[in-house]
């Protein structure tokens, strides 16, 4: 479904809103601590009928797609869907934050941007079948190597 079919209420209510990664506490193991979803993200996901557990797949880094052994760094990330996620079509961009400090790489997504639409606040995480994104040490502090460039994307109602 393209963005022109998304309920106009979502597009109107979500412009310029969403949660950010600032202020996230860091756990002793180096991963991010709990974080609530913004009210705007919860509202937008309800309108889009995206529920916790809904899933899709995505390329983790738009600049390193279809590669093995990608290097990711702490900080912002731009990913894109490779399959539908509810009304969000493939190639919808996902914007979020990467943390490499814990035992696994953690990626939280705060916004989605359909190819022909406005940015929509969401709450989603990257996860593989057995849980986290297993990592190998990166070439420098604040980086990690992931075996695959693709991941599962899961809608959440808070970050734990």
């Amino acid at each position: 479904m393209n963005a022109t079919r998304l309920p106009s209420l979502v597009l109107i209510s979500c412009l310029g809103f969403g949660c950010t990664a600032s202020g996230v506490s860091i756990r002793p193991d180096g991963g991010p601590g709990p974080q609530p979803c913004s009210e705007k993200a919860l509202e937008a996901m309800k309108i889009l009928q995206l529920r916790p557990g809904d899933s899709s797949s995505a390329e983790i880094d738009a600049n390193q797609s279809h590669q093995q052994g990608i290097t990711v760094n702490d900080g912002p990330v731009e990913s894109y869907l490779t399959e539908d996620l509810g009304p969000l079509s493939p190639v919808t961009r996902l914007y979020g934050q990467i943390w490499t400090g814990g035992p696994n790489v953690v990626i939280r997504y705060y916004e989605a941007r359909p190819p022909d639409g406005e940015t929509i606040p969401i709450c989603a995480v990257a996860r593989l079948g057995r849980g986290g994104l297993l990592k190998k040490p990166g070439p420098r502090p604040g980086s990690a190597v992931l075996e695959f460039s693709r991941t599962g994307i899961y809608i959440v109602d808070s970050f734990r």
Side-chain angles (χ1 to χ4, degrees):
M1 176 181 235
N2 66 34
T4 57
R5 292 185 185 161
L6 294 176
S8 59
L9 178 59
V10 171
L11 298 177
I12 292 168
S13 69
C14 297
L15 294 175
F17 294 98
C19 51
T20 65
S22 62
V24 175
S25 64
I26 301 300
R27 297 177 194 265
D29 69 4
Q35 179 185 24
C37 289
S38 74
E39 288 300 320
K40 291 293 182 185
L42 294 171
E43 178 184 330
M45 292 187 307
K46 183 176 180 180
I47 293 167
L48 293 172
Q49 298 182 3
L50 292 172
R51 294 173 181 84
D54 288 352
S55 64
S56 183
S57 64
E59 285 288 335
I60 294 170
D61 184 341
N63 297 312
Q64 299 183 74
S65 62
H66 305 289
Q67 296 180 26
Q68 288 189 348
I70 66 168
T71 300
V72 295
N73 300 297
D74 289 335
V77 65
E78 178 183 5
S79 304
Y80 65 88
L81 292 176
T82 57
E83 299 174 4
D84 290 333
L85 177 59
L88 301 174
S89 66
V91 304
T92 293
R93 298 296 175 160
L94 301 173
Y95 300 99
Q97 182 79 17
I98 294 177
W99 288 268
T100 64
N104 296 313
V105 170
V106 174
I107 305 174
R108 294 178 177 176
Y109 294 102
Y110 303 103
E111 296 178 328
R113 185 178 184 125
D116 56 353
E118 299 293 330
T119 301
I120 301 164
I122 63 166
C123 290
V125 295
R127 185 180 299 145
L128 292 177
R130 287 175 257 161
L133 298 175
L134 300 177
K135 68 178 188 178
K136 297 177 185 173
R140 63 193 164 285
S143 69
V145 175
L146 298 174
E147 186 175 355
F148 304 106
S149 67
R150 280 196 176 184
T151 187
I153 300 293
Y154 295 85
I155 296 296
V156 297
D157 56 7
S158 68
F159 299 104
R160 293 173 175 87

